[in-house]
């Protein structure tokens, strides 16, 4: 189906309008979003994406609609996995909780521009050179293999090349100045960590785009579908971050599920490349008669794999234990950092979450205890937070084991 320029313009205006609405009505005034706020707006953005998909299904037909939903679900799942890295980056940079929304929104906008560029370049390459399907397929298979490696907080670093270069070339401060990108110290204009963390997230997302764009091209070559599925998967990602806060560490098998999905799409791309083959050293330059995987079947595989890995993660004792360890480390650091937040409710929330994480670890059986690393250090962090909480709230009763 050919999409008219008018439809493109209206779609772009709608996406820009949603981003502007998000900024002026939610992000411009720094605050910590409540769980209810995050849930309502996450559901709204998913609802908008689904309604758009239904419109695509009605106007564009079953094939186009299936391609959109397959692409949207895949990109959304990859975005959720990326949120874990964003969480680590913001923790490393000690981003105040009230300012995390702005960082995420800037990251989404940068991502949308970067992925749009990759989409149009990728489409031009695929239309000109059919052998590019082989490259995309091999790239996804390699990415799938890399995702099988265990990832923890220690396996990621916010200090990427761009950030290190910025720190070396420009004068930067160690402290934040609200949500400002620059500040004046001793009469000199300097960058704040706010700008550096935006650079870190933007640079990291460029790497994510190299995986996600070939993945969606493995499901559809319709540029309009690729663009809209990618854009709607990014919209609402900020709200989803705060909604899933506390569950991100628990999705321990999500990377395995995504690896399986990317490997499946990579194989699908290679089969399609064989079907369109014109390389002289493959079958004499003639197309190879191989089975092509339908988009409908691809959507079914993606949904089944995601549901299995998500439920396996949520009901896993290992997942709950890993989550508890991560919560103690991050929540203790945040609670003891006076610049983390000025919101008493947010400080109480992370304190109560730390208590629940501590209780989970202390009640583990002998076999499950083997999964806990540095238990003595974790409990020491808990006691340190307890002392700080008692000082701030002398009338509150603290659990005796803490």
């Amino acid at each position: 189906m050919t999409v008219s320029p008018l439809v493109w313009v209206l779609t772009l205006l709608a996406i820009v309008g949603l981003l502007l609405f998000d900024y002026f009505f939610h992000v411009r005034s720094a605050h910590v979003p409540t769980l209810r706020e995050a849930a309502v707006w996450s559901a709204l953005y998913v609802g908008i994406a689904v309604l758009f998909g239904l419109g695509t299904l009605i106007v564009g037909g079953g094939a186009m609609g299936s391609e959109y939903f397959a692409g949207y679900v895949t990109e959304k799942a990859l975005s959720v996995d990326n949120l874990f890295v964003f969480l680590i980056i913001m923790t490393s940079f000690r981003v105040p909780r009230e300012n995390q929304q702005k960082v995420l929104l800037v990251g989404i906008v940068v991502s949308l521009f970067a992925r749009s560029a990759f989409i149009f370049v990728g489409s031009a390459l695929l239309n000109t050179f059919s052998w590019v399907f082989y490259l995309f397929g091999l790239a996804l298979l390699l990415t799938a293999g890399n995702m099988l490696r265990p990832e923890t907080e220690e396996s990621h670093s916010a200090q990427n090349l761009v950030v290190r270069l910025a720190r070396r070339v420009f004068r930067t401060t160690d402290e934040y100045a609200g949500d400002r990108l620059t500040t004046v110290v001793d009469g000199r204009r300097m960058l704040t960590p706010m700008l550096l963390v935006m650079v870190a997230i933007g640079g990291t997302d460029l790497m994510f785009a190299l995986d996600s764009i070939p993945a969606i091209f493995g499901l559809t070559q319709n540029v309009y579908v690729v663009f809209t599925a990618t854009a709607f998967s990014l919209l609402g990602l900020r709200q989803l971050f705060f909604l899933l806060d506390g569950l991100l560490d628990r999705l321990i098998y999500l990377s395995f599920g995504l690896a399986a999905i990317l490997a499946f799409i990579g194989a699908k791309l290679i089969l399609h490349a064989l079907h369109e083959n014109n390389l002289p050293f493959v079958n004499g330059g003639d197309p190879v008669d191989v089975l092509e995987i339908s988009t409908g079947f691809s959507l079914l595989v993606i949904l089944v794999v995601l549901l299995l890995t998500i439920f396996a993660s949520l009901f896993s004792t290992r997942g709950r234990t890993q989550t508890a360890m991560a919560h103690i480390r991050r929540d203790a650091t945040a609670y003891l950092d006076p610049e983390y937040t000025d919101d008493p409710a947010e400080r109480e929330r992370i304190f109560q979450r730390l208590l629940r994480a501590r209780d989970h670890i202390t009640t583990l059986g002998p076999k499950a205890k083997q999964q806990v690393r540095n238990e003595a250090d974790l409990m020491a962090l808990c006691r340190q937070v307890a002392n700080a909480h008692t000082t701030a709230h002398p009338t509150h009763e603290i659990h005796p084991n803490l």
Side-chain angles (χ1 to χ4, degrees), residues 237-306:
L237 194 61
R238 175 186 63 80
Q239 293 87 345
L240 191 63
F241 175 84
F242 291 96
L243 180 63
L244 294 181
D245 184 25
L247 281 179
L248 290 174
D249 295 286
R250 193 159 168 182
L251 299 175
I252 59 172
Y253 299 125
L254 179 61
S255 59
F256 295 101
L258 291 175
I261 290 171
L262 292 180
F264 171 79
I265 297 174
K268 184 177 185 294
L269 272 170
I270 291 175
L271 288 174
H272 181 73
L274 290 169
H275 193 267
E276 303 290 328
N277 177 65
N278 58 11
L279 292 177
F281 53 85
V282 177
N283 198 37
D286 295 324
V288 181
D289 187 17
V290 293
L291 175 69
E292 289 245 52
I293 303 172
S294 69
T295 306
F297 180 73
S298 299
L299 177 58
L300 178 64
V301 169
I302 291 166
L303 289 173
V304 169
V305 171
L306 283 178

Side-chain angles (χ1 to χ4, degrees), residues 31-79:
H31 70 285
V32 180
T34 63
L35 183 62
R36 182 178 181 276
E37 177 186 341
V40 168
W41 287 105
S42 292
L44 179 64
Y45 277 106
V46 171
I48 291 172
V50 171
L51 286 175
F52 182 86
L54 292 175
T56 304
L57 192 66
I58 294 170
V59 176
M64 190 173 179
S66 298
E67 290 173 357
Y68 168 81
F69 280 112
Y72 174 74
V73 172
T74 301
E75 292 297 301
K76 198 70 172 180
L78 288 168
S79 297

Side-chain angles (χ1 to χ4, degrees), residues 146-325:
N146 288 332
M147 292 188 77
L148 294 176
R149 293 183 303 178
E151 292 190 352
T152 63
E153 290 186 61
E154 291 75 20
S155 64
H156 297 285
S157 173
Q159 302 299 322
N160 59 32
L161 177 62
V162 178
V163 173
R164 291 198 299 270
L165 184 62
R167 287 189 184 275
R168 180 170 298 180
V169 175
F170 302 102
R171 292 189 295 268
T172 60
T173 66
D174 294 326
E175 305 300 327
Y176 288 86
D179 60 356
R180 293 197 297 271
L181 304 182
T182 64
T183 187
V184 176
V185 179
D186 297 330
R188 296 194 306 173
R189 177 69 62 178
M190 302 182 72
L191 302 181
T192 70
M194 189 73 173
L195 181 58
L196 292 180
V197 71
M198 289 178 178
V199 170
I201 285 183
T204 302
D205 199 76
L206 286 175
M207 301 303 298
F208 293 152
L210 296 176
D211 301 333
S212 66
I213 298 306
I216 195 169
F217 270 120
L219 299 168
T220 176
Q221 286 80 59
N222 186 315
V223 178
Y224 182 76
V225 173
V226 172
F227 174 78
T228 52
T230 301
F232 282 113
S233 72
L234 292 173
L235 292 173
L237 194 61
R238 175 186 63 80
Q239 293 87 345
L240 191 63
F241 175 84
F242 291 96
L243 180 63
L244 294 181
D245 184 25
L247 281 179
L248 290 174
D249 295 286
R250 193 159 168 182
L251 299 175
I252 59 172
Y253 299 125
L254 179 61
S255 59
F256 295 101
L258 291 175
I261 290 171
L262 292 180
F264 171 79
I265 297 174
K268 184 177 185 294
L269 272 170
I270 291 175
L271 288 174
H272 181 73
L274 290 169
H275 193 267
E276 303 290 328
N277 177 65
N278 58 11
L279 292 177
F281 53 85
V282 177
N283 198 37
D286 295 324
V288 181
D289 187 17
V290 293
L291 175 69
E292 289 245 52
I293 303 172
S294 69
T295 306
F297 180 73
S298 299
L299 177 58
L300 178 64
V301 169
I302 291 166
L303 289 173
V304 169
V305 171
L306 283 178
L307 288 174
L308 287 175
T309 53
I310 289 172
F311 280 110
S313 297
L314 293 178
F315 290 100
S316 165
T317 300
R318 177 170 169 255
R320 291 195 295 270
T321 302
Q322 182 170 305
T323 302
M325 291 188 294

Side-chain angles (χ1 to χ4, degrees), residues 10-147:
L10 292 176
T11 303
L12 290 172
L13 287 175
I15 291 171
V16 171
L18 287 171
L19 289 171
L20 290 174
F21 173 82
D22 209 11
Y23 175 77
F24 285 105
F25 288 90
H26 292 101
V27 175
R28 190 178 185 183
S29 177
H31 70 285
V32 180
T34 63
L35 183 62
R36 182 178 181 276
E37 177 186 341
V40 168
W41 287 105
S42 292
L44 179 64
Y45 277 106
V46 171
I48 291 172
V50 171
L51 286 175
F52 182 86
L54 292 175
T56 304
L57 192 66
I58 294 170
V59 176
M64 190 173 179
S66 298
E67 290 173 357
Y68 168 81
F69 280 112
Y72 174 74
V73 172
T74 301
E75 292 297 301
K76 198 70 172 180
L78 288 168
S79 297
V80 171
D81 190 54
N82 298 345
L83 286 180
F84 177 66
V85 182
F86 291 168
L87 173 63
I88 294 170
I89 290 175
M90 288 196 288
T91 301
S92 300
F93 277 99
R94 298 170 51 243
V95 180
R97 185 69 167 178
E98 289 85 352
N99 297 332
Q100 289 181 4
Q101 292 196 96
K102 182 170 289 188
V103 171
L104 286 168
L105 185 60
V106 169
I108 289 169
V109 173
V110 170
S111 175
L112 193 53
F113 277 108
R115 295 184 189 213
S116 297
F118 280 126
I119 286 168
F120 290 108
V121 171
S123 176
L125 288 174
L126 291 173
N127 289 330
T128 306
F129 309 105
S130 61
W131 51 264
V132 174
F133 283 108
Y134 286 114
L135 293 183
F136 279 13
L138 289 173
L140 290 182
L141 291 174
L142 290 173
T143 302
N146 288 332
M147 292 188 77

